[in-house]
Amino acid sequence: MDPLAPLLDLADVGPAFAAARESVDAAHRHRALRKHGGQVAAEVSLRAAVASAALEGNKFDLDLVRGGAVTDPVVQGALRVAEALPGLVDLWSRAPRQVLAKLHVLAARGVVHDHDLGRLTSGADRIDALAGLVAGNDSTPPMLLAAIVHAELITLRPFAGPAGVVARAAARITLIGRGFDPRGLVGVEAGHLAREPEYVGSAGAYATGTPDGVRSWLRHYAAAITAGAEEITVIGDGVLAAV
């Protein structure tokens, strides 16, 4: 039995998730992905990293980051995390705590003391529960599982420094590894940034633990997924226009 299944019965959540799934499926059919999928994926990864750093309060112009002019440690950490994601997908379903520690090492290097890299600062019991939910779970729908992974980690902030970068990366790994977005093309981080007040508010609502709070977060997550899917179209159109 899927322990998270009742969450899809919260008002408007099921239809919101279904609509987001349709948006992703449509975006995955963009003709730029036939011959230029690698180029699209690279741009998505860059934008996702810049957006994730911005959500930590470290906002920089995308083109400056692309040109290598930004040395901010949070931005550099987010870029390292984005680059490492494909190599961590298989391990995530087997050893999620190990992956979280690795993500923190990548994200927080140069931001926190070396002694604190990869070390939990709070919420160990709840992290154990989350790891148990992730490992070997093939019953929870990928988008729902990713949303809960993200929300739990952003609520707990169990690592020092840019813990939000870790939370967003863990959610992306979930979407990739569970086959929802196998090529890593949905830049959900950009969707969160585009709706930043809603992102912050719904994450706070989730932290209350009430059904309405959880519902608020899940609806936001579906909207962020949809925005990430729309970004594929924007990037794909730009790639085709340039060739």
Side-chain angles (χ1 to χ4, degrees), residues 126-203:
R126 201 156 160 182
I127 290 297
D128 283 343
L130 181 63
L133 185 64
V134 169
N137 181 354
D138 58 3
S139 58
T140 301
M143 198 190 324
L144 178 58
L145 183 59
I148 296 304
V149 165
H150 188 154
E152 285 291 299
L153 292 171
I154 207 72
T155 297
L156 294 173
R157 296 192 73 88
F159 297 101
V165 173
V166 175
R168 290 180 285 275
R172 279 285 296 283
I173 289 175
T174 303
L175 294 174
I176 295 169
R178 291 291 307 280
F180 180 88
D181 180 35
R183 299 171 70 181
L185 296 171
V186 181
V188 193
E189 296 89 340
H192 295 312
L193 184 61
R195 309 171 71 96
E196 186 174 7
E198 180 184 284
Y199 173 68
V200 174
S202 62

Side-chain angles (χ1 to χ4, degrees), residues 8 11 14-15 19-20 28 57 76 78 97 129 140 163 172 179 187-188 220 233 242:
L8 292 175
H28 280 168
Q76 291 301 313
R97 283 196 60 161
T140 301
R172 279 285 296 283
V188 193
H220 162 76
T233 299

Side-chain angles (χ1 to χ4, degrees):
M1 295 292 291
D2 176 10
L4 300 182
L7 299 181
L8 292 175
D9 294 328
L10 294 171
D12 302 323
V13 169
F17 272 40
R21 171 80 264 187
E22 290 177 6
S23 296
V24 171
D25 288 345
H28 280 168
R29 293 191 292 270
H30 195 287
R31 60 193 183 94
L33 300 178
R34 299 171 192 167
K35 295 183 178 180
H36 308 285
Q39 189 175 346
V40 174
E43 180 66 14
V44 168
S45 181
L46 172 66
R47 294 188 184 197
V50 172
S52 194
L55 290 165
E56 291 295 288
N58 298 65
K59 298 184 178 183
F60 291 89
D61 180 81
L62 177 65
D63 287 333
L64 290 178
V65 177
R66 182 184 287 111
V70 177
T71 59
D72 176 80
V74 174
V75 172
Q76 291 301 313
L79 290 170
R80 287 192 296 269
V81 165
E83 183 178 5
L85 285 189
L88 295 172
V89 169
D90 289 341
L91 185 60
W92 175 238
S93 63
R94 303 194 310 271
R97 283 196 60 161
Q98 183 178 336
V99 171
L100 291 175
K102 177 63 174 178
L103 289 172
H104 184 247
V105 170
L106 294 169
R109 187 189 310 152
V111 181
V112 305
H113 194 282
D114 286 353
H115 179 265
D116 294 323
L117 293 175
R119 295 170 63 94
L120 292 176
T121 57
S122 64
D125 290 344
R126 201 156 160 182
I127 290 297
D128 283 343
L130 181 63
L133 185 64
V134 169
N137 181 354
D138 58 3
S139 58
T140 301
M143 198 190 324
L144 178 58
L145 183 59
I148 296 304
V149 165
H150 188 154
E152 285 291 299
L153 292 171
I154 207 72
T155 297
L156 294 173
R157 296 192 73 88
F159 297 101
V165 173
V166 175
R168 290 180 285 275
R172 279 285 296 283
I173 289 175
T174 303
L175 294 174
I176 295 169
R178 291 291 307 280
F180 180 88
D181 180 35
R183 299 171 70 181
L185 296 171
V186 181
V188 193
E189 296 89 340
H192 295 312
L193 184 61
R195 309 171 71 96
E196 186 174 7
E198 180 184 284
Y199 173 68
V200 174
S202 62
Y206 176 92
T208 67
T210 64
D212 281 346
V214 174
R215 171 179 173 269
S216 174
W217 168 255
L218 294 177
R219 291 186 65 195
H220 162 76
Y221 199 80
I225 288 280
T226 299
E230 292 169 352
E231 188 86 344
I232 297 173
T233 299
V234 171
I235 293 171
D237 288 348
V239 167
L240 291 178
V243 296

